[in-house]
Amino acid sequence: MDYLWIRGGRPLAGEIVCQGAKNSVLPLLAGAIVFRQGCRIHNCPQLTDVEAALAILTRLGCRVRRTGGTVEVDPTGLTGNRIPRALMGAMRSSVLFLGPLLARTGSCCLCQPGGCPLGSRPIDLHLLGLQALGAEVERAEGWLYCRGKLRGAAITLPFPSVGATENLILAALGAEGTTTIYNAAREPEVADLIAMLSAGGANIAGGGSAMLQITGGLPQWAEYRVMPDRMAAATYLCAAAGTGGELRLLEAEPRHLQPVLQALTAAGCTISPGAGELHLKAPARLKAVSPVRTAPYPGFPTDAQAPLMAALARSRGVTVFEENVFASRYGHVPALQAMGANIRTAGAVAALTGVPELHGAQVEATDLRGGAAMVIAALQARGISRIGGLAHLNRGYADFPRQLELLGGDVKLERRGLPDELGRTEPA
Ligand code: UD1
């Protein structure tokens, strides 16, 4: 069992480079299948979710080569259409292989995807859209079989699901004729996928808007650089803000982070966005902000809700959070409470009253961003915290402990027991 030991109380200060976006690289890797000659993707972060995506590609018969942050995928030898159960269980994004496999081979077989436990995470919108394109969907013995010749159609999504939008774009490239998606997700990661497909010759209009028009026809080959990770950026900004620190974040995209930057500014931070970078300076103690309501892009991102809550745990005043994207996304609250945070939840609402001080505790991450919130709280707390459940963090943060250390955090990654230098000085 791996643990992260954190002795809190040091303001994070310094400069780091923002990683490539997890939520972009995963659809890009699934999308690699629709390229006739393959693609080369730069700035791929070192994450277990990326490894899972590469394993799926390999199992499907693609040739995959990773050199540092660059991944080359050659799908010309694609033979399979079944995603192994273990890999489906490893991450939610494995469902993104459905659309491209249908586009490329006319069939796909998979089971329910895994991912963070954020309430029920159905894939009904993915399937409804694919059915509208002409796919037949059958369930048997825990497996889902999709097959059919796809034809362009008009699809209105009842909710602008990010994954469903990505899946449908990829499937529509294999359809005859034009597909229109109304109420499409406008997240920058969707636009990133469209940009890579377009670089390979795909004909997709409306990238970044709620109405997309996709003309059937597979792209040829593309070379592409993954956009900066706005969720990792939000996490490091919240960590610096909560600890009263000062952070220069390089290779970030301030335009993607507006609602988070607004909240941190309202909390008392001074933020200077530059070209492809951000500088944040925080006061010793933040102040409460007006209600934070999560919503699809360009609203406040649900993935930044837990990190911001942790950053505000020692703020002056009361901040109300309303989670509107996922049914259950307050899994981090008991851990923050164990560190002394004053938070009450009722359904989709959480009310946080800032306290002057947090204290170290032993806690367990139960999801990716919730785990990040625990780290942010631990960095501010008096004493030592031990955080388990690191597999969740490894899914989304490249080299997290090292990055925090670079910023001056007192952080140790241990595979067994309490590290000596911490153990001698203070009990956990
Ligand atoms: C993606 C992101 C995730 C982020 C989320 C919302 C990736 C790899 N993950 O997840 O980090 O938190 O967007 O911005 O990009 N829903 C249905 N039926 C469906 C699909 C979704 O009811 O078929 C619901 C979900 O349960 C959820 C909401 O729609 O309540 C949003 O989900 P969606 O936008 O699809 O998120 P993901 O693509 O899974």
Side-chain angles (χ1 to χ4, degrees), residues 188-352:
E189 293 79 7
V190 176
D192 215 34
L193 173 65
I194 293 173
M196 181 172 97
L197 295 167
S198 303
N203 185 348
I204 304 172
S209 81
M211 191 189 95
L212 302 174
Q213 261 190 328
I214 304 120
T215 307
L218 301 182
Q220 291 296 329
W221 187 86
E223 179 155 16
Y224 197 72
R225 185 175 172 81
V226 179
M227 62 176 262
D229 194 316
R230 61 193 173 104
M231 302 315 171
T235 301
Y236 289 113
L237 289 168
C238 286
T243 56
E246 183 166 2
L247 172 68
R248 189 151 171 248
L249 199 55
L250 304 175
E251 294 181 31
E253 181 43 88
R255 281 177 307 159
H256 294 163
L257 282 157
Q258 285 314 312
V260 176
L261 301 184
Q262 276 161 16
L264 289 172
T265 304
C269 297
T270 307
I271 298 178
S272 340
E277 67 170 68
L278 272 164
H279 178 262
L280 173 144
K281 185 163 173 30
R285 203 172 160 197
L286 300 175
K287 56 185 184 219
V289 300
S290 47
V292 177
R293 299 189 172 93
T294 68
Y297 193 85
F300 190 92
T302 171
D303 285 8
Q305 175 255 108
L308 181 65
M309 190 183 290
L312 292 171
R314 290 188 313 112
S315 62
R316 292 175 208 280
V318 179
T319 300
V320 172
F321 291 80
E322 190 179 292
E323 175 55 52
N324 298 309
V325 177
F326 286 100
S328 168
R329 204 162 196 183
Y330 290 131
H332 50 285
V333 167
L336 300 193
Q337 288 167 332
M339 295 182 190
N342 179 351
I343 307 166
R344 287 199 202 170
T345 59
V349 174
L352 173 138

Side-chain angles (χ1 to χ4, degrees), residues 13-378:
E15 180 177 297
I16 54 170
V17 175
C18 188
Q19 68 187 53
K22 165 180 105 62
N23 288 354
S24 176
V25 71
L26 297 176
L28 295 188
L29 288 172
I33 287 180
V34 301
F35 285 84
R36 290 190 191 281
Q37 309 298 329
C39 56
R40 185 180 295 142
I41 307 174
H42 302 287
N43 203 27
C44 296
Q46 278 286 357
L47 304 171
T48 51
D49 270 11
V50 170
E51 283 163 26
L54 298 181
I56 291 175
L57 286 167
T58 306
R59 286 295 288 267
L60 294 171
C62 300
R63 282 225 327 259
V64 174
R65 201 170 62 165
R66 177 165 194 151
T67 318
T70 298
V71 171
E72 284 186 78
V73 183
D74 173 0
T76 49
L78 187 81
T79 45
N81 69 349
R82 177 185 288 255
I83 301 169
R85 190 182 289 273
L87 292 170
M88 275 307 292
M91 60 166 183
R92 165 93 182 160
S93 298
S94 45
V95 75
L96 295 177
F97 285 85
L98 180 50
L101 276 172
L102 269 174
R104 191 71 198 238
T105 70
S107 66
C108 175
C109 172
L110 47 73
C111 53
Q112 184 66 29
C116 288
L118 310 176
S120 104
R121 294 183 77 176
I123 55 168
D124 55 324
L125 303 180
H126 300 240
L127 299 181
L128 278 174
L130 294 173
Q131 283 169 317
L133 292 175
E136 285 169 27
V137 178
E138 264 178 60
R139 286 186 173 79
E141 291 164 2
W143 288 91
L144 197 67
Y145 295 87
C146 300
R147 58 178 76 86
K149 187 165 163 38
L150 306 182
R151 289 174 309 276
I155 302 165
T156 302
L157 290 174
F159 182 89
S161 155
V162 176
T165 302
E166 292 164 344
N167 234 335
L168 294 174
I169 292 169
L170 292 165
L173 290 173
E176 212 178 282
T178 300
T179 297
T180 309
I181 307 176
Y182 297 100
N183 200 26
R186 289 181 285 161
E187 268 67 3
E189 293 79 7
V190 176
D192 215 34
L193 173 65
I194 293 173
M196 181 172 97
L197 295 167
S198 303
N203 185 348
I204 304 172
S209 81
M211 191 189 95
L212 302 174
Q213 261 190 328
I214 304 120
T215 307
L218 301 182
Q220 291 296 329
W221 187 86
E223 179 155 16
Y224 197 72
R225 185 175 172 81
V226 179
M227 62 176 262
D229 194 316
R230 61 193 173 104
M231 302 315 171
T235 301
Y236 289 113
L237 289 168
C238 286
T243 56
E246 183 166 2
L247 172 68
R248 189 151 171 248
L249 199 55
L250 304 175
E251 294 181 31
E253 181 43 88
R255 281 177 307 159
H256 294 163
L257 282 157
Q258 285 314 312
V260 176
L261 301 184
Q262 276 161 16
L264 289 172
T265 304
C269 297
T270 307
I271 298 178
S272 340
E277 67 170 68
L278 272 164
H279 178 262
L280 173 144
K281 185 163 173 30
R285 203 172 160 197
L286 300 175
K287 56 185 184 219
V289 300
S290 47
V292 177
R293 299 189 172 93
T294 68
Y297 193 85
F300 190 92
T302 171
D303 285 8
Q305 175 255 108
L308 181 65
M309 190 183 290
L312 292 171
R314 290 188 313 112
S315 62
R316 292 175 208 280
V318 179
T319 300
V320 172
F321 291 80
E322 190 179 292
E323 175 55 52
N324 298 309
V325 177
F326 286 100
S328 168
R329 204 162 196 183
Y330 290 131
H332 50 285
V333 167
L336 300 193
Q337 288 167 332
M339 295 182 190
N342 179 351
I343 307 166
R344 287 199 202 170
T345 59
V349 174
L352 173 138
T353 306
V355 293
E357 194 172 79
L358 298 176
H359 52 80
Q362 298 196 2
V363 296
E364 190 80 10
T366 55
D367 68 89
L368 170 58
R369 307 302 169 190
M374 294 172 203
V375 170
I376 294 169

